[in-house]
Amino acid sequence: YPLSTLLVFDSSRNAIPVAWVITSSLTGQDIHKWVGSLAERLRTKDSRWRLNAFLVDDPSFGFSAIRDAFQCRVLLCVWHVRRAWIRSLLKTCCNIDVQREMFKHLGWILYSSRNVPNAMDAVQEFMEVFVDQSAFMDYFKSQWSPYIESWVSCIRSLPVAGPEPHAAIESYHRRLKYKLFNDQYANFWPRIDWLIHTLTTEFHSLYWLDQYIVETGYFSNLRDESFSTNAWYQALHIPDIDVILDEQNLQVAKVISQTDRNLAYTIWNPGSEFSLCDCHWSNLGNLCKHVIKVAMMCKNRLVARPLLAAQIYRQTLLSLLHNPPDDPVVLDHAILCTTRLQQDIKGWEDLSNSGLLQQLPPELNSQMADNTLLFARSH
């Protein structure tokens, strides 16, 4: 029985579970059975509440059902794909240089950012280049090859979420697995009634207690610090001066350790979704604060190319002008969206060139964060 979680993000980019969905088959096929009821339940609680975006992590989800129910944008989340690939690479390949190159190529496959006719041709090229890495190739062929085309197709049609929600999802996922897969509960793992009881009582109470402590200030000595220490939150506390970024050579970046000033961590492929760091946390297959901090600086300084996801989505929208759909209603809407996108891009470029580009105020970031839902499967 697949377990999925509905998460919301607070102003500190923490992921808070608001619902769990347990189905008897793949969740993507059953979403239409419950998503309408969920939306109605939310409107009953607060008719003024509106979503900024809905994130999903499976290309098989019924995106049209989500749009109809919530009347909002749908974004794709690729966190668990990145995590699965890097963990397998770390397990099957001991050469860090090879790991780095393979990870970069996997990013090119996922975002279809090479001049290759289709996704499977890119996969074939990848396998030929790294043919000596047989252990990873066996894993990749068996677990991912059947689904690559659907992932690539989905990325070409949907915008993709950035690293900030990924850090929150990872923190939640780690906390959930720690709670559920504790060895003392091993005898209960096959039981659905135990799973439901644990989620709705013990696990849910952890979040309720944390929120109560934040709002009232009571029992602060009982607060679990892991609720406010995801990688994005930690990255905010790294000073810009501790990041060594060569804007003329963006192959690597350095971040000075916050606990040992004589130590600096190296980030390869900085600013990309497929960056790698040599810190301990990253070497466990996690998304680390150093990678996120460097990505923030690359974005703020406009020294790196746009994220692969942004490049692909922009190409998709602009291509609508050259290959318009047959339906006149769809065509009108596509041209409107594309024209607005071009105007926005031109406006940001003009502001950047004039030195007037400013970061969003914190309160606006908070509002944007508070109205985002993620539907994430547990693996």
Side-chain angles (χ1 to χ4, degrees):
Y1 294 94
L3 168 66
S4 299
T5 305
L6 193 71
L7 301 171
V8 296
F9 303 104
D10 65 12
S11 57
S12 297
R13 303 301 197 275
N14 292 312
I16 302 173
V18 295
W20 289 282
V21 181
I22 303 173
T23 59
S24 57
S25 62
L26 292 177
T27 309
Q29 300 171 357
D30 290 340
I31 193 170
H32 67 279
K33 296 180 180 179
W34 56 264
V35 69
S37 299
L38 174 68
E40 187 60 32
R41 177 87 176 267
L42 289 169
R43 295 188 185 102
T44 302
K45 298 289 286 185
D46 186 352
S47 60
R48 300 166 301 173
W49 192 75
R50 293 291 183 271
L51 261 70
N52 178 275
F54 198 115
L55 280 63
V56 295
D57 71 345
D58 186 340
S60 69
F61 278 127
F63 304 120
S64 59
I66 295 173
R67 290 193 183 100
D68 291 343
F70 288 101
Q71 301 296 311
C72 69
R73 297 181 302 154
V74 178
L75 281 71
L76 188 64
C77 173
V78 298
W79 166 78
H80 78 273
V81 180
R82 179 192 186 281
R83 180 175 180 269
W85 287 355
I86 189 56
R87 288 202 165 196
S88 181
L89 275 174
L90 293 170
K91 181 179 179 180
T92 58
C93 177
C94 299
N95 188 312
I96 191 169
D97 292 327
V98 176
Q99 289 174 5
R100 185 173 70 246
E101 289 303 313
M102 291 179 71
F103 201 45
K104 186 187 296 185
H105 275 72
L106 287 168
W108 291 340
I109 292 174
L110 186 61
Y111 290 100
S112 189
S113 56
R114 299 292 296 275
N115 293 323
V116 180
N118 57 61
M120 295 314 298
D121 287 339
V123 170
Q124 184 61 37
E125 178 186 286
F126 171 71
M127 292 182 173
E128 291 174 358
V129 172
F130 299 101
V131 64
D132 56 328
Q133 301 297 321
S134 57
F136 180 83
M137 293 306 169
D138 290 342
Y139 155 79
F140 188 78
K141 283 189 288 187
S142 62
Q143 299 295 322
W144 291 98
S145 288
Y147 309 106
I148 284 296
E149 287 186 308
S150 63
W151 271 101
V152 171
S153 176
C154 196
I155 285 174
R156 286 173 175 170
S157 59
L158 288 177
V160 180
E164 293 175 11
H166 289 184
I169 296 162
E170 186 170 89
S171 178
Y172 165 78
H173 190 265
R174 187 174 66 254
R175 192 178 298 118
L176 176 67
K177 284 207 164 185
Y178 176 80
K179 186 66 177 178
L180 295 184
F181 293 150
N182 192 309
D183 287 340
Q184 66 175 316
Y185 301 131
N187 292 332
F188 300 107
W189 286 344
R191 295 181 52 168
I192 289 293
D193 59 341
W194 169 81
L195 173 63
I196 295 173
H197 170 78
T198 302
L199 290 174
T200 58
T201 56
E202 296 182 38
F203 194 64
H204 179 266
S205 66
L206 296 176
Y207 287 87
W208 181 90
L209 177 61
D210 182 73
Q211 188 65 27
Y212 180 81
I213 293 172
V214 170
E215 292 178 354
T216 66
Y218 298 145
F219 310 115
S220 57
N221 59 315
L222 298 179
R223 192 182 188 200
D224 184 348
E225 293 301 321
S226 67
F227 281 88
S228 60
T229 56
N230 64 63
W232 179 85
Y233 185 86
Q234 294 171 354
L236 293 180
H237 292 79
I238 299 177
D240 290 357
I241 196 172
D242 286 346
V243 178
I244 304 170
L245 190 64
D246 184 354
E247 298 183 5
Q248 305 303 318
N249 179 19
L250 281 178
Q251 299 302 312
V252 297
K254 299 276 188 179
V255 177
I256 298 174
S257 170
Q258 301 303 289
T259 56
D260 182 358
R261 308 299 294 176
N262 296 317
L263 177 63
Y265 298 106
T266 302
I267 294 87
W268 290 275
N269 201 20
S272 166
E273 296 97 327
F274 283 74
S275 298
L276 277 180
C277 179
D278 61 357
C279 71
H280 173 71
W281 190 242
S282 183
N283 285 334
L284 294 175
N286 301 306
L287 186 63
C288 74
K289 59 184 179 182
H290 311 111
V291 164
I292 294 179
K293 176 63 179 181
V294 170
M296 289 177 176
M297 290 196 62
C298 286
K299 180 180 179 181
N300 292 339
R301 294 185 181 181
L302 302 176
V303 296
R305 296 188 66 190
L307 295 176
L308 293 173
Q311 295 179 44
I312 298 304
Y313 189 58
R314 181 186 178 188
Q315 291 171 8
T316 300
L317 289 178
L318 294 178
S319 68
L320 290 174
L321 288 177
H322 302 96
N323 300 285
D326 296 330
D327 190 322
V329 176
V330 176
L331 175 60
D332 289 344
H333 181 70
I335 292 177
L336 175 63
C337 291
T338 305
T339 302
R340 286 179 176 174
L341 177 68
Q342 288 179 312
Q343 291 172 348
D344 289 343
I345 292 172
K346 182 64 166 60
W348 285 111
E349 288 176 347
D350 291 343
L351 284 174
S352 175
N353 293 335
S354 64
L356 297 177
L357 185 61
Q358 301 293 327
Q359 290 184 326
L360 290 174
E363 61 272 14
L364 184 54
N365 273 323
S366 299
Q367 293 171 11
M368 293 173 64
D370 287 341
N371 293 336
T372 303
L373 280 175
L374 167 77
F375 191 61
R377 299 171 299 168
S378 295
H379 300 273

